[in-house]
Amino acid sequence: QELAHVFGGKVAPGLKREYGKASVSRVKGCNSPLFAGLPDEFIMWMSHGDKLHKVPEGFTAAAGTSNADFVAIENLSSQMWGLQFHPEVTHSPMGKDILKNFVVNIAKAKQDWVMTDYANEFIEEVRAKVGPTGHVIGAVSGGVDSTVAAVLMTKAIGDRFHAVMVDNGCLRKDEAVNVLKRMRDDCKVNLRCVDAADRFLDLLKGVTDPEKKRKIIGGTFIDIFQEEAMNIVKESGECNYLLQGTLYPDVIESISYKGPSATIKTHHNVGGLPASMKLKLIEPLRELFKDEVRELGIALGIDEASVWRHPFPGPGLAIRILGEVTAERCAILQQADAIMIEELHKSGHYRAIGQAFVVLLPVKSVGVMGDGRTYENVACVRCVETTDYMTADFYHLPFEVMGNMSSRIINEVRGINRLCYDISSKPPATIEWE
């Protein structure tokens, strides 16, 4: 759309929006080098309301859909191509073929880059940046992003990297104990845990707006890191840097990055630091997607169980509890979440799922247990298929597994009497509910 607009084409709203899978057809007789090796029709992922109504001068149409005549345009003399669909996402099956045609066949880029090069380059850069005596503090949540970032930093500067896990009262069941063992004992990361559950839960009292929750949690995290950084300064003499495991999808959803894009939601680790914070950011994963982070983790020698853990958001269960966050509601969700994860492992579906979690809704429903009437909370299971987390489809979990989850959660977790399953894709929904 931007390309067409700049060169004189016409971009305007379409009669129908187009989100999700779409069948793309090449224009008859089109032999575009971008589509070399592709069939005449192929599936791509769409996410647009506006569309191109007129091709700019010098360009020709290369492909369309039933909803939009011009979803691919090209100017062979200027070597320019424009696409309406998203070849880079998981749910565009032949998207990599299009990208390879452009990068390798058209742009003639060399295919000599490997993930270990990325790790080695970062290690050299951070050693030069931090210096021989500098210290770095970093957040660890237990997810793959912060684990990979922490191990990478440890390889770069050893114990001068100080990993901090903040227990905000909204972690998964037994998460603090498990992360300490995995990170400190197995990965040899210099890690300490700060118990700040009461502090966070006090600040979240009465707050129901998801953006306010994220900002309260993000602001408090920063306050705690500043306090911990001051402790490190007292012990070591200096601490000038903060490591964060920000990924590219986080950046895209939070701010306009390298181009125009709308803010979808604020991520706790994106958007810069307040003026009062004296720590400078180091973000080694900022331009990587989730599948690339996992590849980096394997290259660093991190065990498969840690690398293939599902992502866990920095704000924790606070954004999976819709409405007010309380200690009681956290405990309910922790139990339900643990059962759901256990059933996914038991049934062999965990590894095939990109992300899975339970959401506690601000809704109650009537139920019956034994001879008694209940009026308790409704919860919803969310399982998605994705590798890049920019797009996602709901995971087609077998009914038998759903039934086992429902039976166990309703019978074992006091406070839940109804369980639903989320069948929304991204877009138009996001993966997390808040």
Side-chain angles (χ1 to χ4, degrees):
Q1 288 179 12
E2 178 71 11
L3 183 71
H5 174 72
V6 168
F7 286 93
K10 182 183 177 184
V11 179
L15 292 175
K16 293 180 181 177
R17 298 181 300 172
E18 199 167 30
Y19 295 102
K21 293 177 183 177
S23 179
V24 175
S25 300
R26 295 167 68 164
V27 170
K28 192 173 181 179
C30 171
N31 292 312
S32 173
L34 198 63
F35 298 149
L38 272 69
D40 289 339
E41 289 191 17
F42 46 89
I43 298 297
M44 286 288 150
W45 196 267
M46 293 285 189
S47 179
H48 69 100
D50 293 345
K51 67 179 183 180
L52 182 58
H53 290 261
K54 178 188 171 186
V55 177
E57 190 175 341
F59 286 79
T60 57
T65 68
S66 59
N67 183 55
D69 292 332
F70 314 117
V71 299
I73 59 174
E74 63 183 358
N75 185 325
L76 293 177
S77 62
S78 299
Q79 294 282 280
M80 288 190 289
W81 285 263
L83 302 178
Q84 179 66 74
F85 51 83
H86 292 270
E88 77 281 6
V89 302
T90 308
H91 294 94
S92 291
M94 305 193 81
K96 285 185 179 179
D97 298 301
I98 292 175
L99 294 174
K100 185 177 180 181
N101 282 337
F102 180 75
V103 174
V104 178
N105 298 338
I106 296 172
K108 306 298 182 185
K110 293 179 181 178
Q111 294 179 275
D112 57 0
W113 185 87
V114 292
M115 191 56 80
T116 49
D117 290 344
Y118 186 92
N120 292 334
E121 286 170 13
F122 171 78
I123 288 170
E124 288 178 14
E125 285 174 11
V126 82
R127 282 174 178 167
K129 188 173 186 177
V130 174
T133 61
H135 288 253
V136 179
I137 188 173
V140 170
S141 68
V144 61
D145 307 336
S146 61
T147 298
V148 170
V151 171
L152 190 57
M153 185 59 77
T154 299
K155 286 185 178 293
I157 61 171
D159 282 350
R160 287 188 290 124
F161 169 59
H162 306 262
V164 177
M165 181 175 190
V166 179
D167 185 349
N168 63 0
C170 303
L171 299 178
R172 280 178 160 154
K173 187 179 179 183
D174 300 325
E175 184 77 346
V177 173
N178 293 333
V179 171
L180 280 168
K181 180 190 179 301
R182 188 170 64 253
M183 295 286 293
R184 192 164 60 191
D185 299 345
D186 301 340
C187 296
K188 309 304 178 186
V189 173
N190 178 18
L191 173 64
R192 68 180 83 182
C193 184
V194 178
D195 185 356
D198 292 343
R199 183 170 170 178
F200 277 91
L201 292 173
D202 283 346
L203 290 168
L204 290 168
K205 277 181 183 174
V207 179
T208 58
D209 179 78
E211 276 297 289
K212 284 185 180 176
K213 280 195 230 178
R214 284 178 174 272
K215 286 175 179 176
I216 287 170
I217 291 168
T220 309
F221 266 117
I222 287 173
D223 290 343
I224 289 170
F225 289 140
Q226 282 185 297
E227 293 163 12
E228 289 301 312
M230 291 304 296
N231 291 334
I232 294 166
V233 169
K234 289 175 185 175
E235 296 166 8
S236 310
E238 63 177 300
C239 182
N240 301 316
Y241 295 92
L242 170 65
L243 176 76
Q244 288 192 158
T246 313
L247 301 194
Y248 190 50
D250 300 337
V251 176
I252 291 171
E253 288 190 342
S254 298
I255 57 176
S256 180
Y257 183 65
K258 292 188 177 177
S261 57
T263 297
I264 298 168
K265 59 187 177 183
T266 302
H267 285 262
H268 75 287
N269 55 350
V270 178
L273 301 172
S276 61
M277 192 167 185
K278 297 181 178 67
L279 300 177
K280 300 168 190 173
L281 272 179
I282 298 177
E283 297 174 297
L285 315 179
R286 188 178 176 89
E287 294 190 15
L288 297 183
F289 289 95
K290 185 73 68 177
D291 54 331
E292 294 172 314
V293 173
R294 288 197 166 111
E295 187 182 341
L296 178 57
I298 291 168
L300 290 170
I302 300 172
D303 68 284
E304 279 206 7
S306 294
V307 168
W308 286 98
R309 281 196 97 207
H310 291 173
F312 188 68
L317 300 180
I319 58 168
R320 294 175 180 174
I321 297 172
L322 274 58
E324 185 180 7
V325 179
T326 65
E328 181 188 5
R329 288 172 70 76
C330 278
I332 291 171
L333 185 53
Q334 282 173 336
Q335 294 175 63
D337 182 82
I339 291 169
M340 182 269 301
I341 294 294
E342 188 180 316
E343 288 298 319
L344 290 180
H345 279 296
K346 192 187 298 183
S347 61
H349 289 277
Y350 183 87
R351 181 75 174 264
I353 294 169
Q355 191 165 355
F357 53 90
V358 181
V359 179
L360 191 62
L361 306 181
V363 175
K364 289 191 172 183
S365 71
V366 174
V368 57
M369 290 186 178
D371 296 326
R373 173 187 182 274
T374 63
Y375 187 58
E376 293 179 336
N377 297 283
V378 179
C380 184
V381 172
R382 174 75 155 151
C383 300
V384 297
E385 272 185 299
T386 184
T387 57
D388 55 34
Y389 295 79
M390 290 299 298
T391 61
D393 206 358
F394 72 91
Y395 185 77
H396 293 230
L397 198 63
F399 290 152
E400 183 182 356
V401 181
M402 288 187 193
N404 290 340
M405 278 183 189
S406 177
S407 177
R408 284 196 60 195
I409 288 173
I410 292 171
N411 280 298
E412 296 177 32
V413 182
R414 283 187 170 274
I416 294 176
N417 70 355
R418 192 177 300 268
L419 192 69
C420 308
Y421 192 76
D422 185 344
I423 58 169
S424 309
S425 65
K426 175 187 179 180
T430 53
I431 294 175
E432 295 284 354
W433 279 44
E434 288 192 347

